[in-house]
Amino acid sequence: SMLLVLSWSFQVPRQSTRQAALLQAAIDKTEQEWQQILSPEQYYVLREAGTEAPYSSRLNSVKEPGVFVCAGCGAPLFTTSTKYDSGTGWPSFFAPIDNVAVKASIDFKLVVPRTEVSCATCNGHLGHVFDDGPNPTGQRYCMNGVAMDFRSNDKHPESASMVSERTSASPYRLDALQILPVVMINGIMGSLFFNSFVTRLTETGIQSPIDALPLFPAIYFGVLAVQACNKLKLT
């Protein structure tokens, strides 16, 4: 069946011609080449958009200061400073290192729209981002641990320094695409309940309090949609 996927890409920072050529050579691989360098579990998640079992990743327990990088290409994605325990069983973060580390796209693979997160460098699937995270972003980047590797700041000071410079130069800001699925879901649900209420009102009228019940969830979902729209101010 055909899957609807709306993609949104971020601009990659400028690099020298030589750096760009080396990076392109590192990530411009055939699927057969990816299968050779990735484990079966990594290939399933990164290249086939699979999902690892919850509580299966060793990265869940990592608290040491460091950088989480893409297991496919080594590009830096997240830091321990934005990691938190979401209780879901997958490594979770409230923000990537900046707006060019990952890219977002809306997928309808489970019918309900979700915001998929991929490595902006090699397009490897990482997980999804949800609108129920902690402050200051309110986002939960729910990532597959097998799709990432961890580099401690002590053992990789050069990586830590580079990530710190990127974060300072371009602080992370919410992307409107992350908010769109929440607006869509709540807007659709609110519309369905409101249409049910209007149908009863026009066909039979309000005969009892029960006939007005659809109005309450309509208002509830409408408020959630408006609250999500208000987050666009943070983008």
Side-chain angles (χ1 to χ4, degrees), residues 157-175:
E158 72 291 341
S159 177
S161 177
M162 181 270 290
V163 168
S164 179
E165 290 177 4
R166 282 181 55 173
T167 302
S168 300
S170 179
Y172 169 76
R173 293 179 64 85
L174 282 178
D175 172 34

Side-chain angles (χ1 to χ4, degrees), residues 1-5 49 51 106-116 128 130 185:
S1 61
M2 183 176 295
L3 298 177
L4 296 175
V5 180
T51 302
I106 299 178
D107 75 54
F108 294 84
K109 296 172 184 175
L110 297 182
V111 181
V112 177
R114 298 182 301 168
T115 303
E116 180 182 359
H128 292 82
F130 301 94
I185 293 172

Side-chain angles (χ1 to χ4, degrees), residues 199-213:
T199 299
R200 292 190 183 188
L201 183 64
T202 55
E203 292 183 355
T204 62
I206 304 300
Q207 304 295 328
S208 69
I210 295 179
D211 294 328
L213 286 180

